[in-house]
Amino acid sequence: QVQPVESGGGAVQAGDSLTLSCAASGSNLRIVTMGWYRQAPGKQRELVAASTSGSSTNNADSVKGRFTISRDNAKNTVYLQMNSLTPEDTAVYYCNLKLIMGQVPIGDYWGQGTQVTVSS
């Protein structure tokens, strides 16, 4: 079992920035696709941003122009750079990674979640 480890959440004020990290540790791992999701209490989990191992990316309309998904292949770590945060961005953020170990797909793994709270 692999659980990506998330970090970088916190409490900030509107207009501030945060960078979330999601690291997958293990031998011979490669990230095939990556995504960031968020969920607020009483609401459905929402896809925020996603990217393949190539250059294709997809961002939710609500964050386009403010959030950027990226990766560091050497560290098997993905990032979500969040700028111009608003209270509507308040949620628990989860990363999701589709991983290959060696040449074998091993599955789809979720991070533990990290809380982002934005006050006005």
Side-chain angles (χ1 to χ4, degrees):
Q1 181 180 354
V2 176
Q3 183 177 45
V5 178
E6 298 183 35
S7 62
V12 299
Q13 295 184 2
D16 285 351
S17 297
L18 283 174
T19 299
L20 306 183
S21 299
C22 175
S25 297
S27 61
N28 304 117
L29 289 179
R30 182 169 67 89
I31 299 171
V32 179
T33 64
M34 55 189 182
W36 286 96
Y37 297 75
R38 66 186 181 187
Q39 187 169 22
K43 295 186 177 181
Q44 297 291 320
R45 186 170 297 182
E46 173 190 21
L47 176 65
V48 176
S51 179
T52 68
S53 59
S55 60
S56 297
T57 60
N58 183 56
N59 294 336
D61 289 341
S62 61
V63 307
K64 193 170 185 177
R66 299 189 297 120
F67 291 10
T68 303
I69 188 170
S70 63
R71 65 185 288 175
D72 185 333
N73 289 328
K75 298 179 180 179
N76 276 331
T77 301
V78 302
Y79 304 94
L80 185 67
Q81 175 65 50
M82 305 184 293
N83 298 325
S84 301
L85 286 163
T86 74
E88 293 183 346
D89 297 317
T90 295
V92 178
Y93 285 72
Y94 299 90
C95 63
N96 180 267
L97 307 178
K98 291 186 181 295
L99 300 174
I100 289 177
M101 181 175 292
Q103 302 297 109
V104 180
I106 61 170
D108 194 353
Y109 295 91
W110 291 93
Q112 83 279 8
T114 185
Q115 177 72 47
V116 173
T117 302
V118 185
S119 61
S120 60

